[in-house]
Amino acid sequence: MRVHANFAEYVPLALLLIYFVESSHHTPWLIHLLGAALLCGRLSHAFGMSRTPENFRYRVVGMGLTFTVILVSAAHILITALIP
């Protein structure tokens, strides 16, 4: 149950930020990189949670990738907004 709640807490925000990066029309490769990192991060997090003794290494990598996507997206949006 916690995997689903964690997904519902972070993925909508990450997808919304990726959408705003996409709407800036600057870097298509960045959108693909962010989407792939989010997918790999969420798969890694779910895999780590599904092990009988939880494998925290996969969970840490998964959340790290998810937070990296959120931070890079937010930074790109702010930099694009501040520098015309």
Side-chain angles (χ1 to χ4, degrees), residues 42-80:
R42 298 319 303 165
L43 288 174
S44 175
H45 186 266
F47 180 75
M49 292 281 291
S50 68
R51 301 291 105 204
T52 302
E54 288 186 10
N55 193 338
F56 289 103
R57 226 175 296 148
Y58 289 109
R59 289 183 64 195
V60 169
V61 168
M63 285 311 299
L65 282 171
T66 302
F67 287 144
T68 300
V69 168
I70 291 171
L71 291 174
V72 168
S73 298
H76 184 273
I77 293 165
L78 286 173
I79 290 170
T80 305

Side-chain angles (χ1 to χ4, degrees), residues 2 9 11 15 22 24 30 50 54 62 64:
R2 191 63 216 150
E9 291 166 359
V11 172
L15 289 176
E22 183 180 12
S24 68
L30 181 61
S50 68
E54 288 186 10

